[in-house]
Amino acid sequence: MRATAEKTRPSLFWFLAVFVVPFVSFLAKIRIRGEEKLPRSGSFVMAPNHYSEFDPLIVAVAVWRLGRAPRFMAKESLFRVPVLGWALRGTGMIPVARATSVAAAKQTIAQSKELVEHGRGVIVYPEGTLTRDPELWPMRGKSGAVRLALAGRIPLIPMAQWGTQNIMGRYQKGLSLWPPRKKIDVVIGDPVDISDLYDRAGENAALVEATDRLMTAITALLEELRGEKAPAKRWNPAEHGQRETGRLDS
């Protein structure tokens, strides 16, 4: 695959990749399908499923291998941590503030404009935290990913991955280091069409509809990887008395 400008341009990602890529490559054999669906330039919002604390490293290495810089949304408080905050800012990660709806809306618009202006992509976990579904299917989604995509009219790319639980299961303490090179499959889907909702980006009904389309697309990709059907109804933690801790959006 021809190298992209984002990957060949010197950046802090080069330094991080020296350590992260060999480590992940020892633990995982990542097989990617649908790589042509990730834009090689310009902005995008990528939305993967999430069931393991190790997921972000798998997704980051997959995106880096495809020539794009893996930028994530991260809690705003992390940007104030010494060294870590410097690394987050240096790699262009996007802070998520715990703010009022009005302030959050303004922040989303500003972040979308910046993504478009600099031609950057961002990875947002639409569930906001590890899925609570007992069988690790995607649960009810939050609106953070679609807010960014709608505000900037940015391609919304669904992604699913499966196999990471063999390295680090949900809530597992520590990693399963042996055997190495466990197979992990990643599939990237067609952009979710939300163009009919652009002019209604500020309406709650539009956010709900766009989020449902996104979660349906991610679930379909995961069904493809797992070779089985997901439950007809997505898991809703509130209906099971579960707290959704660690949320990155609302």
Side-chain angles (χ1 to χ4, degrees):
M1 176 179 291
R2 181 174 54 84
T4 64
E6 192 170 37
K7 189 171 181 179
T8 56
R9 185 182 304 120
S11 72
L12 185 56
F13 283 106
W14 280 13
F15 174 76
L16 295 174
V18 167
F19 299 97
V20 174
V21 173
F23 172 66
V24 173
S25 297
F26 170 78
L27 294 174
K29 181 179 181 181
I30 303 174
R31 303 182 297 188
I32 306 173
R33 285 149 51 187
E35 58 189 52
E36 73 281 357
K37 296 173 183 178
L38 179 65
R40 295 186 59 75
S41 62
S43 56
F44 66 87
V45 175
M46 173 171 280
N49 62 320
H50 194 22
Y51 58 86
S52 167
E53 296 286 4
F54 201 75
D55 289 343
L57 288 180
I58 295 296
V59 173
V61 170
V63 170
W64 181 251
R65 275 176 47 182
L66 297 181
R68 298 304 306 265
R71 298 180 175 89
F72 290 82
M73 272 193 159
K75 296 177 185 178
E76 190 177 48
S77 59
L78 296 177
F79 285 75
R80 296 191 290 272
V81 177
V83 182
L84 176 59
W86 169 80
L88 292 174
R89 287 188 294 272
T91 51
M93 303 295 175
I94 296 181
V96 182
R98 299 290 187 181
T100 64
S101 58
V102 174
K106 290 182 179 178
Q107 182 188 54
T108 297
I109 292 173
Q111 291 168 338
S112 293
K113 288 181 177 178
E114 185 173 353
L115 288 175
V116 173
E117 179 181 352
H118 296 287
R120 293 175 175 173
V122 65
I123 301 161
V124 184
Y125 285 106
E127 297 162 274
T129 186
L130 300 180
T131 181
R132 299 295 191 265
D133 184 276
E135 300 301 322
L136 304 183
W137 291 104
M139 64 177 180
R140 185 186 64 166
K142 301 295 181 179
S143 62
V146 301
R147 285 178 187 270
L148 276 174
L150 285 171
R153 302 191 175 190
I154 299 170
L156 179 61
I157 313 294
M159 171 193 269
Q161 53 86 25
W162 188 244
T164 308
Q165 73 276 13
N166 296 322
I167 295 176
M168 187 177 192
R170 184 176 55 179
Y171 312 132
Q172 177 180 324
K173 300 295 184 181
L175 302 174
S176 298
L177 300 177
W178 197 264
R181 300 282 287 167
K182 297 179 177 70
K183 293 180 181 178
I184 296 180
D185 289 301
V186 173
V187 60
I188 301 170
D190 292 314
V192 179
D193 186 5
I194 53 175
S195 58
D196 59 311
L197 303 175
Y198 285 160
D199 294 332
R200 299 169 50 208
E203 298 179 18
N204 186 65
L207 295 174
V208 171
E209 172 62 25
T211 301
D212 184 64
R213 293 181 194 178
L214 173 60
M215 298 312 299
T216 296
I218 295 171
T219 302
L221 293 175
L222 188 56
E223 288 178 333
E224 178 184 332
L225 290 180
R226 294 176 59 166
E228 53 187 322
K229 293 293 292 183
K233 183 179 179 181
R234 276 190 284 276
W235 188 268
N236 184 346
E239 295 178 356
H240 297 272
Q242 297 173 320
R243 293 183 60 192
E244 297 176 74
T245 56
R247 291 189 300 122
L248 293 184
D249 52 23
S250 59

